[in-house]
């Protein structure tokens, strides 16, 4: 029997990554004008010379992205954008905590499970920007959020170490075919968005309301085999498959592939499963109870249009959801954008993911 303390330790590790629980990431609010001091969104705002101000909550503002958005919005719209940046779970939990006294106007980023949480808690309200009809995939059916960035959660392999004829075509091949046993890396923690998206795509194939936690026995056998036959690692997946490890395959988010090819000297190929690739949608949405809804709508209408998304994607290596924004970007972006999306039942998956992660941690990752 597992000891109480061992279970407690595992659960503490798990809690930091669960979709519905909080973590410790720091949040900063930054005024759009360069050279001014950061200010919390719910504190007194800096002088804006009469310009309109909105507060943008996001988990996708690091590495200069927030500054780019703020400077461009100031130039194009004369709107001052104050940024609150943090981990996706942190930001979602903050929004739920502020539900009766909203501080944000616009949201940007997140993933399907977090969007589900925000919808379930009435954090976002419909707004349909002019460009919404030009986006082929990722928009919410009722207009609660709209896709601006596509992130494929890919099964990659290093072509320097494995021939094309020996590569997997699907995630299930990794543990169902003994040839791949010990040749693929799996993370030793479950808090990341990529591993949860990959797991969502696997669980979706084995939904069974009568099964344990809503998953068929076959599904749990596949999940157990995934972790049993993989090479567990706590380092970057690309570093693992480029090093002395026997692993030559791993998960990777799509816009991380070109960067890691250069950084680690790999030549990445990727599988395109018949059921499709599990895609994350980084979207934009209007907050319920926004203090400046008209400026927030203007910002959303501006941010997702093809010209802005092209420039943003070109600067930071993203795959834009808007097809016209792909023009002039590297061919890799168009390849990713053209991959089939796996259809995932988020209404079933999202509220159960926490229980599934707990089950995996307690039973398959010790």
């Amino acid at each position: 029997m597992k000891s109480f303390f061992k279970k407690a330790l595992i659960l503490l590790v798990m809690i930091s990554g669960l979709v519905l629980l909080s973590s410790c990431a720091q949040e900063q609010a930054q005024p759009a004008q360069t050279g001014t001091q950061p200010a919390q969104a719910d504190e007194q705002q800096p002088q804006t010379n009469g310009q309109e101000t909105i507060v943008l909550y996001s988990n996708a503002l690091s590495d200069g992205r927030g500054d780019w958005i703020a400077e461009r919005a100031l130039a194009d719209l004369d709107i001052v954008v104050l940024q609150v940046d943090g981990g996706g779970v942190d930001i979602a939990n903050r929004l739920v905590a502020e539900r009766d006294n909203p501080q944000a106007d616009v949201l940007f980023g997140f993933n399907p499970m977090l969007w589900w949480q925000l919808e379930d808690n009435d954090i976002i309200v419909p707004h349909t920007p002019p460009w919404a009809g030009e986006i082929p995939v990722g928009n919410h059916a009722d207009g609660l959020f709209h896709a601006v960035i596509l992130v494929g959660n890919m099964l990659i392999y290093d072509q320097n170490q494995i021939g094309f004829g020996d590569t997997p075509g699907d995630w299930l091949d990794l543990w169902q075919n003994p040839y791949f046993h010990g040749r693929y890396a799996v993370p030793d923690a479950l808090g990341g968005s990529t591993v949860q998206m990959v797991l969502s795509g696997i669980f979706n194939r084995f939904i069974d309301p009568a099964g344990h936690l809503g998953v068929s026995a076959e599904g749990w056998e596949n999940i157990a085999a995934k972790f049993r036959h993989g090479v567990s690692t706590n380092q970057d997946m690309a570093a693992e498959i480029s090093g002395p490890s026997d692993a030559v395959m791993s998960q990777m988010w799509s816009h991380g592939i070109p960067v890691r090819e250069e950084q680690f000297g790999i030549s990445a190929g990727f599988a395109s499963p018949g059921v499709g690739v599990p895609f994350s949608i980084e979207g934009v949405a209007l907050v319920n109870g926004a203090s400046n809804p008209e400026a927030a709508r203007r910002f959303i209408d501006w941010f997702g249009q093809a010209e802005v998304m092209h420039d943003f994607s070109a600067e930071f290596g993203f795959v834009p959801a808007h097809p016209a924004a792909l023009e002039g970007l590297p061919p890799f972006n168009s390849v990713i954008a053209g991959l089939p999306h796996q259809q995932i039942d988020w209404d079933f998956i999202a509220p159960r993911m926490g229980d599934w992660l707990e089950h995996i941690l307690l039973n398959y990752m010790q």
Side-chain angles (χ1 to χ4, degrees):
M1 180 180 294
K2 306 177 186 68
S3 72
F4 169 82
F5 292 106
K6 189 171 186 181
K7 283 188 176 181
L9 178 61
I10 293 169
L11 287 172
L12 283 173
V13 174
M14 178 193 70
I15 282 170
S16 66
L18 292 183
V19 172
L20 302 180
L21 300 178
S22 63
S23 60
C24 303
Q26 294 295 315
E27 298 154 352
Q28 293 180 334
Q30 300 172 334
Q33 298 108 319
T34 58
T36 55
Q37 294 298 313
Q40 289 299 324
D42 50 359
E43 295 175 357
Q44 184 177 358
Q45 306 294 1
Q47 293 295 320
T48 59
N49 299 321
Q51 295 155 322
E52 289 188 287
T53 300
I54 65 169
V55 178
L56 176 67
Y57 277 25
S58 177
N59 65 331
L61 301 178
S62 61
D63 300 323
R65 287 170 285 187
D67 291 339
W68 189 97
I69 292 170
E71 291 167 8
R72 182 72 176 260
L74 187 62
D76 289 3
L77 300 174
D78 202 28
I79 289 178
V80 173
V81 178
L82 299 176
Q83 307 162 40
V84 174
D85 188 15
V89 174
D90 284 326
I91 294 293
N93 285 331
R94 175 168 177 162
L95 287 160
V96 173
E98 295 174 350
R99 180 169 51 188
D100 296 330
N101 184 28
Q103 303 298 309
D105 297 299
V106 177
L107 309 182
F108 161 56
F110 305 102
N111 64 33
M113 284 177 283
L114 290 174
W115 284 120
W116 180 91
Q117 180 187 355
L118 296 173
E119 177 184 358
D120 192 55
N121 283 278
D122 297 321
I123 303 300
I124 48 181
V125 291
H127 171 63
T128 302
W131 46 266
E134 300 163 6
I135 307 298
V137 293
N139 291 341
H140 187 273
D142 297 325
L144 289 175
F145 60 84
H146 299 279
V148 290
I149 299 294
L150 303 177
V151 183
N153 296 279
M154 316 294 294
L155 168 54
I156 70 166
Y157 46 84
D158 183 10
Q159 298 176 103
N160 296 326
Q161 301 183 70
I162 186 170
F164 178 76
D166 297 324
T167 58
D170 194 318
W171 292 97
L172 305 189
D173 293 343
L174 298 181
W175 49 90
Q176 292 184 356
N177 184 343
Y179 176 74
F180 298 115
H181 290 182
R183 305 197 72 192
Y184 64 94
V186 294
D188 69 349
L190 300 178
S193 176
T194 304
V195 65
Q196 292 186 14
M197 288 296 301
V198 170
L199 287 170
S200 296
I202 297 167
F203 277 121
N204 194 78
R205 310 183 196 205
F206 300 104
I207 288 174
D208 180 2
H212 181 61
L213 300 177
V215 178
S216 69
E218 181 185 3
W220 286 120
E221 290 169 4
N222 273 269
I223 295 295
K226 168 184 167 64
F227 289 95
R228 183 168 62 249
H229 296 300
V231 176
S232 179
T233 182
N234 62 1
Q235 66 173 334
D236 187 287
M237 294 286 105
E240 183 69 33
I241 68 176
S242 68
S245 167
D246 290 335
V248 296
M249 295 162 276
S250 71
Q251 64 180 36
M252 181 58 61
W253 61 97
S254 54
H255 59 265
I257 294 175
V259 175
R260 280 157 178 78
E261 283 186 310
E262 181 176 351
Q263 182 178 1
F264 296 107
I266 65 174
S267 175
F270 55 83
S272 180
V275 297
V277 172
F279 268 83
S280 299
I281 301 301
E282 292 195 1
V284 63
L286 177 65
V287 174
N288 189 5
S291 60
N292 197 349
E294 292 307 317
R297 292 186 185 97
R298 283 208 298 131
F299 175 88
I300 293 170
D301 292 352
W302 162 83
F303 185 50
Q305 61 184 318
E307 178 185 355
V308 176
M309 275 294 101
H310 172 273
D311 294 348
F312 185 65
S313 300
E315 181 73 18
F316 298 104
F318 292 128
V319 177
H322 200 306
L326 288 163
E327 191 171 336
L329 295 180
F332 174 80
N333 295 55
S334 295
V335 171
I336 298 298
L339 292 172
H341 289 228
Q342 183 179 4
Q343 299 302 305
I344 296 177
D345 185 353
W346 293 114
D347 287 337
F348 191 90
I349 299 275
R352 292 169 173 82
M353 182 56 71
D355 289 338
W356 293 345
L357 297 181
E358 179 180 0
H359 185 79
I360 292 170
L361 283 161
L362 291 176
N363 291 279
Y364 309 138
M365 296 183 69
Q366 299 180 60

